[in-house]
Amino acid sequence: MDMTSPQAAGAAQTDIAVEITGLDKWYGSFHVLKDIGLSVRAGEQVVICGPSGSGKSTLIRCINQLEQHERGRIMVNSREVGPKVRDMHEIRRDVGMVFQHFNLFPHLTVLRNCTLALTRARGMARREAEAVARHYLERVRIPEKADKYPSQLSGGQQQRVAIARALCMNPKVMLFDEPTSALDPEMIKEVLEVMTRLAEDGMTMLCVTHEMGFARKVADRIVFMDGGCIVEEAPPATFFDAPKTDRARLFLSQIL
Amino acid sequence: MTFDFSFALSIVPTILAAMGMTIAVAIVSCFGAALLGFLLEILRRTGKPMGYLMRFVIDFIRSTPVLVQIYFLYFVLPFYGVTMPALVVGVLALSVYYSGYLAEVFKAGIDSIPSGQFEAAKALGLTRIDAIVFVVAPQMLRNVAAPMGNYFVSLLKATPYLAVIAVPEMLGAAMEVASDTFRYAEPMVIVGILFLILAVTIAQFVRLLEQRLLASAKR
Amino acid sequence: MSFLAILAGIFEGFGVTATITFYGMLYAVPFALVFGILQHFTAGPARVVVTSIIEFWRSSPVIILLFVFYYSLPSFGITLSGITVGAMALGLNIGGYGSQSVRAALQALDPGQVEAGRALGLRRLQILALIELPQAFKAMTPTFINQFIQLIKGTALVSLITLTDMTFRAKEISQLQYNPVGTYTALLVAYFLVCYPATIFGRWVEKRVSIEGRGQRDL
Ligand SMILES: Nc1ncnc2c1ncn2[C@@H]1O[C@H](COP(=O)(O)OP(=O)(O)OP(=O)(O)O)[C@@H](O)[C@H]1O
Ligand SMILES: [Mg+2]
């Protein structure tokens, strides 16, 4: 099943989707991100893991500037992002984000959740936008919920709607921040399945997750963070079977 | 002069006739106050200098009497060549006064929206304005229904202030009867009774509406 | 006349404003406490009577209350001074609001508190005085301060029954010399100077009350 768009395939030729160099960030006097360097090719799937408080969320939230960095450079789809960029909202339209707590708009139907940004930000006609939305709702396997409100859906269904909502914008990069950690075990599977198919279709993905089975199967690369630094970066097989650092070994022993 | 009951009864229709004006003034001012209050609160959130300025404006509005604000607009605007009918000045003054209170109501209403909603709107690439109109405002309105209802009732009870600039609402009508007949006791008692009935009725009605709204919001 | 001279002229009326506020509080506080507590305790017909009295003072517009008492009482053979009428109408109106915050604060208390008092063998009034009221006071203070500010602002109304408060002084000054902009700006500033410190104090108290609450939960 092809979930990527022609644009995403086109971006694959320009090669680098996200390029982070020398990134530093502080919360007040607390140094959360320390000299981060990370480069993600188009079509690549990167899983970010690490102990709680290591700065994973902060890092991926810097990519679409939900958090602002103080030092360093972040390029997304060959455009620099930062606090001074005036048309951030335009850049964000090409970067989908899926949150731990879904963050669906409770006052809008599932369908309207998906079409809001298409009609308002992309200026698409309502009918056309609804067709796009139904297409992606089909892809996440809940077309029948289009006219329901988020509160009428289970957690897993809500998260799949959130994924569909992001996909509707036809993003070149998808960011996931622990998309399954607020879900009951039986719902985790349905969300991971959707994400796996997305990966198979070649979507560029940065995913913070503790689902190591998913990471091993889907990721091209694991990025391990601790204390605001990237401590280790390796393909899944290497990372899981022969971690180089003690900190990674300790983390894996606790989580597996 | 003793209280003349038959005269008192005879002026009931005159004062009742002004009830429509009272209600209309309250409704229009409430919309004005909500619009202005929302604008003040949104501007208050835009950043340092503007935020402080709006904070001050809101505090200033809340720290001065509505009567004085009415006088201010009524006497000062013409001095600058802005002449408006007393009714318009009155509605404007009530809108300004209550905007200060509604701004605070909206602040609480916005603060109780989960921050994830703002983040999701941003992440989708909505502009500021679109996020306010399509994501923040509708959710805020649900949170503020109850306090807004209370302020509407309060605003209704502030409409008789406009009698001081001769707006023909209920108290204004009563004052006119009084100055025509040189009898003050009866018109004041009648307007007092009628207004009390009106205020209590509207308060009940608002409460009912609130409950309906909350019931329908529980999806 | 310079702006400062106008302001000084207006503050000549501060004595009356302060007096009405002070006497108003003498009506408001006892009324709020007594009727708030009565509403909390009573049931059935007694409660209907208590609620009706509260609603009368609370639901009538304060300007109408003032006029009714000022213009109508004499024709029933009751003559009161302007100060008394002003303080009573304004005070009992605010007291009506206050009674609602007293009742709400009492009702918000954990019923376990009363049971604990009973278990200790205290009588009902002792429980009220020793256990319920001290806790309720904390929750009530911020609302009381807000209502105090409403009272100060409300006193501007006594200018309409010819008492020479700050607003009345402003009207006199603006008649003496045609400077509505200066005069009414000064009047707004005058009330702001009086009310704003109370606003700030209220906010400080509110923060303290909520911080104390937070600390207790953290234990
Ligand atoms: N707004 C903030 N202000 C101050 N400190 C913050 C803020 N947000 C996060 N932090 C701190 O920054 C550090 C990194 O937070 P972050 O949320 O990025 O961690 P994380 O790796 O995603 O952890 P988790 O696995 O628990 O989600 C934490 O120590 C956190 O307490
Ligand atoms: Mg996190």
Side-chain angles (χ1 to χ4, degrees):
Chain A
M1 199 187 288
D2 177 25
M3 278 208 183
T4 49
S5 58
Q7 281 102 312
Q13 274 125 43
T14 61
D15 211 7
I16 302 294
V18 178
E19 173 94 71
I20 300 172
T21 40
L23 181 70
D24 280 287
K25 174 170 175 63
W26 286 264
Y27 282 124
S29 61
F30 176 56
H31 201 171
V32 237
L33 295 178
K34 299 170 188 161
D35 192 25
I36 300 284
L38 180 67
S39 155
V40 180
R41 277 176 284 108
E44 198 178 15
Q45 288 86 41
V46 173
V47 162
I48 302 170
C49 64
S52 179
S54 54
K56 310 178 295 287
S57 297
T58 308
L59 175 61
I60 70 163
R61 289 157 61 87
C62 279
I63 294 172
N64 67 350
Q65 288 292 295
L66 291 182
E67 300 289 350
Q68 267 128 36
H69 54 285
E70 273 84 33
R71 211 156 62 194
R73 213 165 118 97
I74 304 177
M75 304 285 291
V76 178
N77 302 320
S78 316
R79 294 185 62 184
E80 175 155 12
V81 301
K84 293 210 181 67
V85 176
R86 302 219 74 218
D87 52 356
M88 239 349 273
H89 56 274
E90 280 171 28
I91 301 175
R92 285 190 184 117
R93 288 168 194 170
D94 292 328
V95 182
M97 182 156 200
V98 176
F99 300 87
Q100 181 176 356
H101 296 287
F102 333 135
N103 296 351
L104 293 177
F105 303 130
H107 61 298
L108 302 177
T109 61
V110 162
L111 193 65
R112 189 66 184 128
N113 259 282
C114 294
T115 57
L116 180 65
L118 283 178
T119 55
R120 298 305 309 175
R122 292 252 194 258
M124 196 181 275
R126 188 82 170 241
R127 293 280 285 282
E128 194 186 343
E130 284 178 1
V132 173
R134 285 186 197 282
H135 170 79
Y136 284 107
L137 287 174
E138 193 118 9
R139 291 292 163 99
V140 300
R141 300 203 178 132
I142 34 175
E144 73 282 1
K145 301 289 184 196
D147 298 316
K148 294 268 191 297
Y149 284 88
S151 60
Q152 297 170 309
L153 271 54
S154 74
Q157 291 170 332
Q158 290 191 46
Q159 193 58 299
R160 284 185 282 150
V161 171
I163 294 173
R165 176 174 74 175
L167 289 177
C168 279
M169 294 299 281
N170 202 354
K172 300 194 179 97
V173 182
M174 284 284 285
L175 308 174
F176 294 82
D177 190 0
E178 304 200 25
T180 56
S181 50
L183 298 176
D184 294 337
E186 66 269 28
M187 293 169 186
I188 292 179
K189 203 167 141 264
E190 64 191 45
V191 171
L192 289 181
E193 268 170 23
V194 167
M195 290 170 61
T196 306
R197 258 184 300 127
L198 200 56
E200 285 165 2
D201 292 339
M203 174 60 82
T204 314
M205 292 165 67
L206 273 94
C207 184
V208 177
T209 183
H210 295 301
E211 294 296 330
M212 290 305 148
F214 169 82
R216 194 188 274 270
K217 188 166 97 189
V218 167
D220 296 311
R221 195 155 35 114
I222 309 282
V223 170
F224 172 70
M225 289 182 72
D226 193 8
C229 305
I230 293 182
V231 178
E232 208 166 319
E233 222 183 312
T238 324
F239 179 75
F240 288 114
D241 300 333
K244 284 196 281 291
T245 59
D246 288 342
R247 284 198 269 182
R249 263 193 293 277
L250 179 67
F251 172 73
L252 285 171
S253 73
Q254 280 164 352
I255 204 160
L256 292 176
Chain B
M1 221 168 358
T2 52
F3 195 86
D4 182 344
F5 282 94
S6 62
F7 171 60
L9 277 181
S10 75
I11 57 174
V12 168
T14 318
I15 294 172
L16 269 184
M19 197 180 264
M21 177 62 98
T22 291
I23 296 173
V25 165
I27 292 175
V28 176
S29 306
C30 191
F31 273 104
L35 278 178
L36 197 58
F38 188 61
L39 195 70
L40 283 175
E41 177 51 22
I42 293 298
L43 288 177
R44 201 187 59 75
R45 288 169 184 269
T46 48
K48 282 260 162 85
M50 187 56 129
Y52 286 133
L53 182 66
M54 290 300 122
R55 175 81 263 158
F56 178 78
V57 169
I58 292 169
D59 279 349
F60 192 88
I61 291 174
R62 288 159 56 97
S63 300
T64 48
V66 63
L67 180 69
V68 176
Q69 293 180 13
I70 292 169
Y71 283 146
F72 182 85
L73 290 180
Y74 189 69
F75 291 118
V76 167
L77 286 182
F79 198 82
Y80 289 110
V82 187
T83 42
M84 293 185 289
L87 177 61
V88 179
V89 174
V91 166
L92 194 65
L94 290 180
S95 301
V96 168
Y97 183 71
Y98 278 92
S99 73
Y101 289 88
L102 291 185
E104 295 286 296
V105 169
F106 293 150
K107 172 176 156 48
I110 293 174
D111 285 343
S112 59
I113 299 173
S115 60
Q117 293 291 310
F118 299 81
E119 292 178 358
K122 259 193 198 172
L124 282 171
L126 292 178
T127 59
R128 256 184 105 78
I129 307 254
D130 278 344
I132 291 170
V133 173
F134 293 98
V135 178
V136 177
Q139 297 191 61
M140 179 201 74
L141 284 178
R142 277 188 192 182
N143 294 339
V144 302
M148 281 246 332
N150 292 342
Y151 275 113
F152 176 71
V153 175
S154 168
L155 208 162
L156 181 81
K157 288 186 276 178
T159 54
Y161 276 101
L162 301 195
V164 303
I165 54 170
V167 172
E169 45 63 65
M170 287 165 77
L171 182 60
M175 302 277 269
E176 202 176 309
V177 172
S179 60
D180 286 350
T181 59
F182 302 106
R183 294 193 70 98
Y184 280 85
E186 295 84 357
M188 292 309 136
V189 168
I190 293 301
V191 76
I193 293 171
L194 291 180
F195 213 110
L196 186 59
I197 296 172
L198 175 69
V200 171
T201 313
I202 298 258
Q204 290 300 331
F205 178 72
V206 165
R207 209 161 298 159
L208 214 82
L209 211 70
E210 251 167 54
Q211 280 163 2
R212 279 273 173 80
L213 218 77
L214 285 183
S216 77
K218 268 193 198 127
R219 274 192 277 258
Chain C
M1 226 172 157
S2 73
F3 187 78
L4 277 181
I6 296 175
L7 201 58
I10 286 171
F11 267 103
E12 282 167 18
F14 178 73
V16 172
T17 298
T19 307
I20 301 279
T21 305
F22 176 73
Y23 286 130
M25 286 305 276
L26 290 188
Y27 283 95
V29 174
F31 183 91
L33 285 177
V34 170
F35 278 82
I37 290 169
L38 280 179
Q39 208 183 18
H40 178 57
F41 274 128
T42 50
R47 192 184 159 109
V48 173
V49 173
V50 170
T51 306
S52 305
I53 296 173
I54 293 172
E55 281 306 308
F56 172 77
W57 290 107
R58 202 174 74 102
S59 292
S60 300
V62 59
I63 180 173
I64 291 185
L65 280 176
L66 188 70
F67 282 7
V68 169
F69 285 91
Y70 184 70
Y71 288 115
S72 306
L73 282 185
S75 63
F76 293 98
I78 306 166
T79 10
L80 299 171
S81 73
I83 298 252
T84 308
V85 170
M88 195 174 80
L90 292 166
L92 293 180
N93 176 250
I94 293 295
Y97 283 100
S99 70
Q100 297 308 288
S101 42
V102 171
R103 195 213 54 203
L106 286 173
Q107 281 176 345
L109 289 181
D110 180 355
Q113 293 291 314
V114 177
E115 283 164 18
R118 283 234 171 82
L120 288 172
L122 294 174
R123 273 178 289 125
R124 192 64 189 84
L125 278 182
Q126 290 177 311
I127 295 174
L128 178 71
L130 299 174
I131 299 175
E132 290 180 285
L133 279 181
Q135 296 186 57
F137 269 131
K138 212 175 273 172
M140 276 157 22
T141 318
T143 342
F144 261 35
I145 294 170
N146 274 334
Q147 279 151 1
F148 174 69
I149 298 167
Q150 295 298 337
L151 178 62
I152 301 177
K153 292 192 292 178
T155 60
L157 278 173
V158 300
S159 65
L160 300 173
I161 57 170
T162 66
L163 296 180
T164 43
D165 74 325
M166 299 204 298
T167 305
F168 194 87
R169 282 292 298 144
K171 284 201 268 188
E172 284 181 338
I173 293 169
S174 79
Q175 263 159 23
L176 287 177
Q177 45 202 311
Y178 189 61
N179 180 7
V181 182
T183 313
Y184 286 102
T185 305
L187 184 58
L188 284 173
V189 170
Y191 278 103
F192 182 72
L193 290 178
V194 173
C195 295
Y196 193 55
T199 308
I200 299 288
F201 178 64
R203 233 175 250 155
W204 180 76
V205 169
E206 197 161 355
K207 212 174 269 171
R208 263 194 50 146
V209 169
S210 60
I211 286 172
E212 265 176 46
R214 209 179 308 146
Q216 280 154 7
R217 273 197 291 284
D218 278 345
L219 280 175

